[in-house]
Amino acid sequence: MWVMRMQYISTRNPDLRLQASQVIAQGISQEGGLFVPEKLPLVGEKLPLWLHMDYRGLAKEIFQLFLTDFSPEEIGHCVEAAYVPAKFEGEAPVKLVPLTNSGAACYLLELWHGPTCAFKDMALQILPHFLTKALQKSAQGQEAVILVATSGDTGKAALEGFRDVPGTRLLVFYPRDGVSPLQKRQMATQEGKNVGVCAIEGNFDDAQTSVKGIFTDCGMQQELKKRGMQFSSANSINWGRLLPQIVYYIYSYLELHRSGKLLSWEEPVNIVVPTGNFGNILAAYYARCMGLPVKKFICASNRNKVLSDFIRTGVYDRRREFFATSSPSMDILISSNLERLLYALSGGDSAALANWMGQLAKQGWYDIGPAMKGRVQSLFYGGFCGESGTSQAIREAWEQEGYLCDPHTAVALDVYGQYEKDTGDNSTPAIIASTASPYKFAGSVLGALGPLATQDEFENLHRLEELTHTQAPRQLSALRDKEIRFQDVVSKDATATYVRRALGLG
Ligand SMILES: *Cc1c(COP(=O)(O)O)cnc(C)c1O
């Protein structure tokens, strides 16, 4: 079969044309733009043909459409190495769980059955395989230095994905006071010879901004090159992070057909996503562009509601107070992947994008104007849920549905409720992304259910098991006995120095 080569372009530079392996190896474009496929493949007519494929088979089909400079054998190898039952308890790596008592048919798409108990595993178990193959093709086998800024879950998922992967080194930066106790413990106890973890005095945006700064520092890039190394990214700015996330939205739509819940191939669903950096919901949007019938994307924010404000007003304004919440992986004021959405909705207007993003960097806000706002609102509904609403949603899901959810998923459930009330749309089936195991945030979940949480997170884990008669994932309870390996803390201006020292650049 003859396959069209897919070209990738940058959101801020219309003249670049790159192959998939190059954009995965590089992560972010030189001028600060993000890589996007020039044209998305259309798969609407293939959906019925894909009906009986298992998860891995479907993933291979979809990846082949995008990674056109990888051979089918290479893609097969990546998929078979990543989505195995040994890593994702169960035959399929994701589960679709119906909620019984709600108005419209609702399904929780559980994305957290991987090694680190959050949805980031879905992409970060496979990205190292994509990346090492990409480096062999495009960078003559340079060693990849991967820098990660994390609000909690990405860091651990990247550490597990890249540990001891030949040809890679990984450095993770997290906000010292901005991750949950178990997230911190997960990272501090990480094994592997090629990894390092460091806390930053600052919030997630500080971490992300300083890491982006190092990436685009030409002097540093030259020094790395001399030593046979090059930077790459495992954050969701890397196309290799988004692509695997497209698969599970298509998979869950097929799963609803398999179980007779959808009547036709035109019948749309709503997709509800607890959102931070706009990566997960953007993957769902790309699935729609490819032909998946989706009516509305419901973008759920926590108290840091910069995105829900944006969807309502068309003004993105990060000049506001930053709150540390019980859903820390969404404590973000600069949602990087929104740039890709605006690029698509503006019909590829890279000048407008460069303008808005420049204004965001300099003034802290931008306004997309009424026409663009209309396009955003025709597809996206934005809402937010504060801290007491989050606790209440955890309690209600448990008491009314018998569903134990984590605080991020609770935010999604609450905002979905707002959407139903606001719009009266209670007949479209909804797929709600369940993004982390409740045990990863045991203290918050326990507190929401009534009993006071203790200072000891492992005691909280135990109490949550007793109270709900459910079981904590073994990889979380086992953390108690693991050796602490990383305790470094640096100021946000010292990350570059830390990276130099870790890489032996002097
Ligand atoms: C990362 C994360 C999110 C937010 O996902 P984005 O792709 O950044 O929007 C939501 N929930 C959990 C548990 C996460 O780890």
Side-chain angles (χ1 to χ4, degrees):
M1 191 180 65
W2 187 75
V3 185
M4 273 280 283
R5 280 239 157 174
M6 181 170 281
Q7 311 259 12
Y8 290 80
I9 52 185
S10 160
T11 49
R12 297 188 211 172
N13 178 356
D15 301 325
L16 278 182
R17 289 283 177 288
L18 299 180
Q19 299 297 312
S21 65
Q22 295 172 300
V23 309
I24 290 174
Q26 217 175 303
I28 186 168
S29 186
Q30 214 29 254
E31 79 296 331
L34 304 184
F35 293 121
V36 290
E38 189 173 33
K39 228 170 113 197
L40 289 165
L42 297 177
V43 303
E45 288 179 356
K46 294 201 177 125
L47 294 176
L49 306 174
W50 286 348
L51 186 60
H52 295 294
M53 271 185 183
D54 65 6
Y55 195 92
R56 290 189 288 271
L58 180 68
K60 288 177 205 168
E61 289 283 324
I62 294 172
F63 294 157
Q64 282 183 33
L65 300 170
F66 286 94
L67 307 177
T68 48
D69 64 338
F70 287 60
S71 70
E73 292 70 34
E74 287 173 324
I75 290 171
H77 173 264
C78 293
V79 169
E80 297 297 337
Y83 299 130
V84 285
K87 289 184 170 167
F88 288 87
E89 48 173 275
E91 211 15 70
V94 302
K95 291 193 177 73
L96 204 58
V97 179
L99 282 191
T100 43
N101 297 333
S102 47
C106 275
Y107 305 89
L108 283 151
L109 173 56
E110 292 186 346
L111 301 169
W112 42 262
H113 295 285
T116 76
C117 308
F119 91 90
K120 307 290 197 297
D121 286 327
M122 294 303 299
L124 281 162
Q125 280 298 311
I126 198 162
L127 180 67
H129 300 287
F130 286 160
L131 184 66
T132 42
K133 292 207 164 41
L135 285 168
Q136 287 159 11
K137 289 175 197 299
S138 70
Q140 294 98 40
Q142 297 252 43
E143 187 178 23
V145 176
I146 296 133
L147 304 181
V148 170
T150 182
S151 55
D153 290 329
T154 298
K156 177 61 183 180
L159 288 161
E160 270 305 309
F162 280 98
R163 69 188 261 195
D164 295 323
V165 170
T168 68
R169 289 205 216 183
L170 177 69
L171 294 172
V172 170
F173 296 94
Y174 71 88
R176 184 183 58 183
D177 304 317
V179 300
S180 86
L182 272 187
Q183 287 176 319
K184 189 176 279 191
R185 185 81 164 220
Q186 279 185 311
M187 291 189 276
T189 56
Q190 179 64 43
E191 294 164 12
K193 291 191 196 64
N194 61 337
V195 300
V197 176
C198 179
I200 287 189
E201 295 164 348
N203 61 34
F204 170 72
D205 293 309
D206 296 324
Q208 179 163 258
T209 305
S210 66
V211 164
K212 262 192 176 174
I214 299 171
F215 267 124
T216 39
D217 175 341
C218 293
M220 194 96 126
Q221 286 173 1
Q222 293 301 327
E223 285 183 63
L224 285 189
K225 206 166 174 189
K226 274 191 235 143
R227 290 171 169 79
M229 299 189 262
Q230 84 167 53
F231 281 132
S232 188
S233 165
N235 277 102
S236 58
I237 52 174
N238 191 319
W239 176 252
R241 273 282 302 276
L242 289 178
L243 177 56
Q245 299 178 177
I246 295 174
V247 177
Y248 48 69
Y249 292 110
I250 296 179
Y251 178 84
S252 44
Y253 188 80
L254 295 174
E255 187 69 15
L256 291 181
H257 266 282
R258 280 192 284 269
S259 53
K261 303 293 190 329
L262 294 174
L263 300 175
S264 81
W265 290 101
E266 281 79 49
E267 188 175 348
V269 292
N270 287 324
I271 294 182
V272 189
V273 186
T275 298
N277 221 2
F278 211 77
N280 204 10
I281 197 167
L282 182 74
Y285 167 78
Y286 283 141
R288 184 183 189 275
C289 297
M290 292 163 65
L292 193 74
V294 180
K295 181 169 170 184
K296 220 54 184 204
F297 298 98
I298 294 141
C299 174
S301 305
N302 66 19
R303 201 178 166 199
N304 296 296
K305 58 187 183 66
V306 64
L307 279 170
S308 77
D309 287 347
F310 170 72
I311 292 168
R312 287 171 185 217
T313 63
V315 177
Y316 194 99
D317 192 344
R318 70 171 168 88
R319 300 167 302 170
R320 59 179 74 208
E321 193 180 342
F322 177 93
F323 302 105
T325 73
S326 56
S327 46
S329 300
M330 294 151 67
D331 289 346
I332 293 176
L333 293 181
I334 306 173
S335 295
S336 306
N337 276 300
L338 188 61
E339 176 165 351
R340 286 184 163 114
L341 177 73
L342 297 181
Y343 182 80
L345 292 181
S346 69
D349 188 345
S350 45
L353 258 296
N355 208 0
W356 291 326
M357 295 305 134
Q359 211 188 326
L360 181 64
K362 281 194 214 82
Q363 275 112 41
W365 69 282
Y366 60 90
D367 181 348
I368 58 172
M372 276 290 285
K373 182 177 95 174
R375 284 180 221 165
V376 170
Q377 289 178 345
S378 70
L379 287 175
F380 289 83
Y381 174 93
F384 75 98
C385 172
E387 288 295 272
S388 63
T390 305
S391 293
Q392 194 181 333
I394 293 173
R395 195 165 54 246
E396 284 178 8
W398 177 245
E399 286 171 359
Q400 295 167 19
E401 307 272 358
Y403 190 81
L404 190 63
C405 72
D406 97 290
H408 303 77
T409 309
V411 166
L413 285 169
D414 180 85
V415 172
Y416 177 63
Q418 297 174 29
Y419 166 81
E420 271 192 315
K421 256 207 212 105
D422 239 24
T423 61
D425 175 10
N426 56 12
S427 56
T428 311
I431 294 171
I432 302 174
S434 176
T435 50
S437 159
Y439 280 96
K440 204 160 181 180
F441 305 92
S444 304
V445 174
L446 195 63
L449 294 183
L452 276 187
T454 69
Q455 287 297 314
D456 177 351
E457 197 64 356
F458 294 102
E459 176 60 24
N460 293 338
L461 218 68
H462 177 66
R463 289 189 183 185
L464 191 56
E465 287 184 316
E466 301 261 285
L467 183 73
T468 60
H469 302 289
T470 59
Q471 224 185 350
R474 208 198 47 79
Q475 51 289 35
L476 293 183
S477 28
L479 288 173
R480 186 200 285 257
D481 303 320
K482 284 196 152 179
E483 179 203 348
I484 307 268
R485 291 186 64 208
F486 301 105
Q487 307 194 63
D488 289 337
V489 184
V490 301
S491 83
K492 64 181 179 186
D493 307 312
T495 39
T497 317
Y498 182 88
V499 170
R500 289 181 161 280
R501 211 171 334 114
L503 298 178
L505 298 184

